[in-house]
Every structure is written in structure tokens, then in C-alpha cells.
Amino acid sequence: CQNTTESAVAVETLDDVPEHVLRGLPEDVRLFPSAVDKTRLGVWATKSILKGKKFGPFVGDKKKRSQVKSNVYMWEVYYPNLGWMCVDATDPEKGNWLRYINWARSGKEQNLFPLEINRTIYYKSLKILRHFLLRIFCRN
């Protein structure tokens, strides 16, 4: 789970988003300033997204935990041959649009659920989403 108390030093803007991330956005979502963390961008639904829709995979550099400087943009995945590895999207150039999904402040705000399928992270919608910031929640 991510540490929600860490925040970026600078405020993310759309100008900071790599072109490949913008090109990879599904047609039913857009990046706008986050309602959860004012220093970050967030992923917003622009049309209704049905319950059960799957997004992914989450993309980033595969690293050992000791190599990761921030846990805001990463997931840990167990690889039988390598042990626990992080998929780290701290560098926007290495990630995709899923990097911009924000962390919910409570379970009530959560509208996505992380899934690990074949050592790859996906997100699945928990309810019908209409013009909401996409959020995932994790208890520590």
C-alpha cells in the first residue's frame, strides 16, 4: 500500500505529463487537478464507467524495494524467481496513465480495486462511475 502522507514537492501540471501518457488515455477518462491531493493530477471519468470495468496494466520500472525512493507511484509484486519487486512509476516517462490514479482518503471514497493477475497490476471499478476522480484505497 502507498504512503498517503508523502507528497510531491512541486505541483504536477498537464505540461509535466509525457506525450505517451496522454495518447494512452482511454476515451472515458482525462487528467485534471486532483481533488484529493492539490499537488497532484488525478484521473477523472468524463463518461459513465460501468461497475467491473478493468484498467491496466500498471506500468513502471521493475526494481528491488531498496531502489525505490518513493512509494507513492508503485506496487509490490512477488516474482517466484526474483522475490518481491516493485513496479515503480515515480518517473512519469516510465509509467502510464494509471500512475495518476489517486489514493482515497477512506474506504467510502474508494471506487477502484487493485488486482494482481500474472504478476501484473490492474484496477477494476467497484461501482458505476460518473464524472468522479478515480480512487483506490488501501489499509496499512
Side-chain angles (χ1 to χ4, degrees):
C1 293
Q2 267 63 14
N3 176 354
T4 57
T5 59
E6 271 187 48
S7 63
V9 174
V11 175
E12 287 179 327
T13 69
L14 286 173
D15 291 337
D16 301 325
V17 179
E19 187 60 36
H20 77 274
V21 171
L22 296 173
R23 282 194 313 268
L25 282 167
E27 68 178 39
D28 47 3
V29 300
R30 291 291 172 264
L31 296 179
F32 293 114
S34 171
V36 174
D37 181 342
K38 300 300 182 193
T39 66
R40 294 184 57 194
L41 293 172
V43 179
W44 292 81
T46 56
K47 300 182 194 177
S48 292
I49 295 174
L50 297 178
K51 178 181 178 179
K53 181 163 182 175
K54 190 169 69 173
F55 299 101
F58 182 88
V59 175
D61 279 339
K62 199 181 308 177
K63 299 178 177 179
K64 285 287 190 191
R65 185 74 169 105
S66 61
Q67 297 172 302
V68 177
K69 293 180 173 68
S70 169
N71 62 356
V72 174
Y73 302 102
M74 65 74 124
W75 284 100
E76 287 186 272
V77 176
Y78 184 78
Y79 292 85
N81 299 351
L82 302 170
W84 286 100
M85 298 290 291
C86 295
V87 180
D88 181 16
T90 301
D91 179 351
E93 293 292 339
K94 307 290 183 181
N96 61 5
W97 69 274
L98 295 174
R99 169 194 193 278
Y100 296 93
I101 289 178
N102 288 198
W103 292 96
R105 294 166 286 202
S106 69
K108 187 175 180 177
E109 279 188 349
Q110 179 181 5
N111 51 30
L112 296 176
F113 183 80
L115 299 171
E116 182 183 333
I117 303 170
N118 296 324
R119 289 170 281 289
T120 304
I121 301 296
Y122 295 86
Y123 297 148
K124 186 175 181 179
S125 61
L126 292 172
K127 51 189 158 190
I128 295 175
L129 307 175
R130 292 182 183 92
H131 306 286
F132 281 101
L133 174 70
L134 303 186
R135 294 177 273 218
I136 198 158
F137 179 70
C138 194
R139 291 194 205 303
N140 287 332

